[in-house]
């Protein structure tokens, strides 16, 4: 088995820079379309079989547990949080596209 050389500081810095750039482009800002909560539940959610969506999704596509979740994640000092990361379900999401079209007018 051959030994490998350690990664250079320059290589690691470039890799971190690329990852930061990818994070910014991979998940554009959330437009509160509710798509994610209408297709699955997060760690904090619960499925409503009658409405076919998360039971915590409000009529205006907001999370009714938003404050509770943020408080919990803050208390745990989580680096990656449920809210604020952007929309990772943005491709071919008809609800999101409809809202974005309204913004363009």
């Amino acid at each position: 088995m051959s030994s490998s050389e350690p990664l250079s500081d320059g290589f690691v810095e470039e890799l971190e820079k690329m990852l930061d750039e990818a994070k910014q482009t991979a998940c554009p800002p959330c437009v509160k379309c509710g798509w994610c909560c209408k297709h699955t539940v997060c760690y904090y959610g619960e499925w409503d079989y009658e409405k076919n969506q998360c039971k915590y999704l409000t009529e205006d596509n907001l999370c009714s547990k938003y404050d509770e979740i943020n408080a919990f994640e803050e208390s745990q000092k989580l680096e990656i949080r449920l809210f604020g990361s952007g929309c990772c379900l943005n491709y071919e999401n008809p609800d999101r596209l409809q809202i974005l079209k309204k913004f363009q007018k």
Side-chain angles (χ1 to χ4, degrees), residues 30 32-42 44-48 51-66 69 83 95:
C30 173
K32 298 180 177 72
C33 68
W35 178 264
C36 51
C37 301
K38 293 174 185 172
H39 291 273
T40 190
V41 292
C42 69
Y44 311 100
E46 188 177 324
W47 195 250
D48 182 328
K51 290 184 176 181
N52 203 30
Q53 67 181 37
C54 178
K55 82 180 230 180
Y56 302 113
L57 183 65
T58 66
E59 293 295 321
D60 53 351
N61 293 325
L62 300 176
C63 178
S64 62
K65 293 184 73 146
Y66 179 86
I69 292 168
F83 301 110
D95 296 350

Side-chain angles (χ1 to χ4, degrees), residues 3-4 9 24 30-31 40-41 95-96:
S3 64
S4 59
D9 290 340
Q24 292 176 7
C30 173
V31 296
T40 190
V41 292
D95 296 350
R96 179 182 174 79

Side-chain angles (χ1 to χ4, degrees), residues 4 16-18 30 35 47 60 73 92 94 103:
S4 59
E16 287 176 352
K17 181 179 172 185
M18 288 172 34
C30 173
W35 178 264
W47 195 250
D60 53 351
E73 291 182 342
E92 297 184 32
F103 287 153

